[in-house]
Amino acid sequence: MSSSRIRQVLTVTAAAMIGVVALAVLLGATGLGGPAAADGPAAAIDAYDLTTGRLVGLVGALAALAGVVVGGLAVTRPRSRIGTGNGRLGATIALVAGLVGVVLGGYVVAAAEGGPGTGYGIVGGVVAVVVGLASLGLGGLAMTRSRQPR
């Protein structure tokens, strides 16, 4: 894969992640699809209802999980799995995905007004933060290894 093609893929990926973050923030900030617990104490949240908080936490956790997978591949096989360079592409993807997971998870945790089961997505937010930190660690390790002379 040529370097210009890699740049194009990274640009599109970054734009998509920024769009997802912007959409999640806008939906959370406007209150669209918020938890039913905000309607009053009589309203109950079903365990299978997908509220905005749960959706944002889920997106953050999935982004962070993707970062862990790519970061693990970048650490174990930096040259053969992702791209043809020195292994920085996988490390960069893991760092960006981990950052997205931590930011979205942190946003959900900070905005939650209740605990688990209230529909605010606190569990998904905490999972996104923890897995995002793991992705950041793997991405940092892969980036450090890609800079070392072989």
Side-chain angles (χ1 to χ4, degrees):
M1 196 183 272
S2 68
S3 63
S4 63
R5 179 70 178 147
I6 292 172
R7 280 192 215 113
Q8 288 175 346
V9 169
L10 283 175
T11 303
V12 169
T13 303
M17 287 186 178
I18 290 171
V20 167
V21 170
L23 178 66
V25 168
L26 287 175
L27 286 176
T30 60
L32 294 176
D39 296 335
I45 296 288
D46 188 34
Y48 299 105
D49 286 345
L50 186 62
T51 62
T52 303
R54 288 177 178 169
L55 178 65
V56 174
L58 179 66
V59 168
L62 289 177
L65 181 63
V68 166
V69 169
V70 171
L73 290 174
V75 167
T76 57
R77 294 184 172 191
R79 292 178 190 248
S80 64
R81 287 282 185 197
I82 302 165
T84 58
N86 57 3
R88 287 192 179 183
L89 177 62
T92 304
I93 291 172
L95 287 170
V96 170
L99 183 63
V100 167
V102 168
V103 167
L104 287 179
Y107 171 74
V108 169
V109 170
E113 295 177 6
T118 59
Y120 286 101
I122 189 89
V123 174
V126 170
V127 168
V129 169
V130 170
V131 177
L133 289 174
S135 175
L136 285 172
L138 284 171
L141 180 63
M143 187 68 75
T144 303
R145 287 188 176 181
S146 71
R147 291 181 183 164
Q148 294 175 352
R150 300 204 187 260

